[in-house]
């Protein structure tokens, strides 16, 4: 195996995915990596590892909102190190909330301490760079995400630094979006495949209200559960940016730029 | 990380997937493992690792049909050992052809030499046991698979040992099925997501002919690419058994029987 790794170590660079947050977001990212790859046969596809250990990572929102003390970044960092030791040279994590500095910094510290030679691709930076590339300066960007992601201003700060104006739904609507993601009765975390019509309906309503009432020019799906429900590339004529898909594209680019398939639609209907 | 592994080592047992043969079959198995899991939140899902290194494994049909000398079992075994060293205690491999004894024996030898404590769940045995459970003794089982899988009689021998009668399409139809899987112009290996209508059409025709002309009582999809195209649970009133889905079920059962969701349909429409 060592020989194999060495033989293939240069390009494409193996991609490691910290999954489990949630599990379906992990497999959605794998699928999108495959879609972004120019491949005519099995062998053209990139080396990808998905490590999905949902029960081993403390709750991200619970930590950020002060309900638990254990920082999930510790275990996330452990999984990153494990992936790097398996040969991963590019890492991605399909969970926006886990990119909050208090969590991510702890994870990156652990990764750096391991001295592994691996590059982490941020979903936040990838998505915001992409939005900036399709949006006029000062453009209004409608943002859907978990309450924890919105409260930590992960995307808002990054969008503002990129010269864009983040627009979030009203408080009641944010709570509804959170329900669509995490309600035990109908949320995407509990009903992922297929997503419940109620969860999809809430998310479509929230997106439509951002478009109609708040005059946004892009809608950014800033939670990796949401694209499991909204697969449209545009809603009411407004482009929808799926952060998972953009992360997949940037992982392919970082692994092997020659294999990046630029010809695909950013999102495809199921 | 070691602490975490030890803390969680007993149950559920981590599942390791040897992916890449092809890549979409790997992610299809992950999806089906999630579907077979009783889960109301992220943390209920099982620990799963997918290692998809398609370019590192020599061609299975090419080896079995004598076109290349390098046994892919060597690298498959290497990936199995890597998964076991990451903590996997249950292994699955979503590629029927790679279960041919000449390949699998080489892989298992490498795994045994590593002295890792891990259990391999065979897709062939899982699928045949399931077919026997839904079929009367002596029942006729229509089989779709690659030419290499059919020539090595993987399923035919196992079905006969289970007291069932395997029925394969005629030679011309087998070649068409192979094209539906591997044609560079329209095959599933090249067009997986979505599958081309032509590939799906060929497979549906082959299944229909087995049902209508050969009087089979079950159709067994004995190639992990085929369920990417055929998602029906029955065709013309005849049950369709998806070997990938059955492998997923047996992996969940081996990892954590209490989490097995027996209430799901064996296959769901997309």
């Amino acid at each position: 195996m060592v020989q194999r790794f060495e033989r293939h170590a240069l390009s494409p660079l193996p991609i490691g995915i910290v999954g489990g947050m949630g599990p379906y977001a992990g497999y959605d990212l794998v699928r999108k990596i495959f879609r972004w790859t120019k491949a005519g046969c099995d062998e053209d596809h990139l080396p990808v590892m998905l490590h999905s250990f949902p029960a081993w990572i403390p709750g991200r929102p619970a930590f950020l909102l002060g309900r638990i003390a254990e920082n999930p970044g510790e275990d996330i960092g452990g999984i990153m190190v494990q992936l790097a030791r398996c040969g991963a040279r590019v890492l991605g994590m399909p969970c926006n909330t886990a990119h909050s500095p208090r969590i991510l910094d702890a994870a990156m510290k652990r990764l750096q301490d391991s001295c592994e030679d691996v590059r982490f691709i941020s979903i936040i930076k990838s998505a915001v760079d992409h939005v900036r590339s399709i949006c006029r300066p000062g453009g209004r960007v409608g943002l859907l995400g978990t309450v924890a992601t919105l409260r930590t201003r992960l995307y808002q700060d990054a969008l503002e630094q990129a010269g864009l104006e983040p627009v979030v739904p009203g408080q009641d609507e944010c709570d509804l979006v959170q329900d669509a993601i995490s309600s035990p009765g109908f949320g995407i975390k509990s009903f992922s495949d297929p997503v419940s019509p109620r969860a999809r309906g809430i998310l479509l309503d929230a997106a439509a209200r951002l478009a109609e009432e708040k005059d946004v020019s892009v809608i950014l799906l800033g939670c990796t559960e949401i694209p499991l429900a909204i697969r449209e590339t545009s809603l009411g004529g407004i482009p929808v940016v799926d952060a998972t898909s953009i992360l997949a594209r940037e992982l392919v680019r970082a692994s092997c730029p020659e294999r990046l398939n630029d010809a695909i639609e950013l999102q495809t209907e199921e």
Side-chain angles (χ1 to χ4, degrees), chain A:
Chain A
M1 203 61 200
V2 171
Q3 274 182 318
R4 281 272 150 192
F5 273 115
E6 282 170 4
R7 200 198 303 177
H8 297 274
L10 287 179
S11 180
L13 299 175
I15 298 170
I17 301 170
V18 183
M21 303 179 284
Y24 279 93
Y27 110 98
D28 191 44
L29 178 61
V30 172
R31 181 182 197 169
K32 285 166 181 167
I33 288 171
F34 294 163
R35 278 190 182 162
W36 277 109
T37 306
K38 232 182 273 174
C41 61
D42 288 356
E43 292 72 22
D44 289 344
H45 280 279
L46 305 175
V48 174
M49 286 170 275
L50 167 69
H51 283 197
S52 181
F53 303 129
W56 305 6
I57 306 174
R60 286 70 60 198
F63 172 72
L64 291 173
L65 301 175
R67 290 192 215 118
I68 62 169
E70 197 180 3
N71 189 336
E74 290 296 323
D75 288 298
I76 291 170
I79 295 168
M80 287 177 170
V81 173
Q82 185 190 47
L83 285 162
R85 291 195 176 140
C86 285
R89 290 293 165 264
V90 180
L91 292 178
M93 176 164 67
C95 174
N96 291 275
T97 310
H99 282 68
S100 300
R102 285 174 63 205
I103 297 175
L104 190 61
D105 290 353
M108 296 310 287
K109 167 94 174 53
R110 194 146 175 191
L111 184 60
Q112 279 149 15
D113 288 349
S114 77
C115 299
E116 293 288 340
D117 172 26
V118 60
R119 181 176 160 211
F120 177 73
I121 309 283
S122 159
I123 194 171
I124 311 292
K125 182 176 186 316
S126 301
V128 170
D129 285 352
H130 175 72
V131 169
R132 185 167 46 183
S133 77
I134 63 168
C135 216
R136 62 176 172 72
R140 290 167 64 80
V141 180
L143 186 56
L144 295 180
T146 61
V147 168
T149 302
L150 298 183
R151 280 215 199 142
T152 53
R153 292 191 50 84
L154 267 182
Y155 273 112
Q156 291 97 311
D157 290 346
L159 287 165
E160 283 174 6
Q161 280 160 27
L164 298 164
E165 187 183 344
V167 178
V168 299
Q171 186 56 51
D172 288 355
E173 195 114 44
C174 285
D175 291 342
L176 276 172
V177 168
Q178 182 68 56
D179 283 348
I181 295 165
S182 58
S183 158
F186 62 87
I188 303 172
K189 293 265 189 201
S190 303
F191 300 90
S192 307
D193 192 15
V195 166
S196 75
R198 186 165 166 195
R200 176 167 153 83
I202 288 172
L203 295 167
L204 286 175
D205 279 354
R209 235 184 308 267
L210 280 173
E212 287 159 19
E213 295 173 11
K214 307 239 178 173
D215 193 30
V216 301
S217 53
V218 172
I219 292 166
L220 173 55
L221 308 183
C223 166
T224 51
E225 312 300 326
I226 299 178
L228 301 174
I230 299 186
R231 297 192 164 272
E232 287 82 352
T233 54
S234 70
L235 289 169
I238 294 182
V240 172
V241 172
D242 164 10
T244 306
S245 180
I246 301 300
L247 173 61
R249 186 184 67 182
E250 295 314 311
L251 288 168
V252 171
R253 199 195 305 277
S255 165
C256 189
E258 313 88 71
R259 298 269 177 85
L260 180 62
N261 184 359
D262 260 331
I264 71 161
E265 287 287 318
L266 275 174
Q267 180 68 280
T268 55
E269 306 292 319
E270 187 68 351

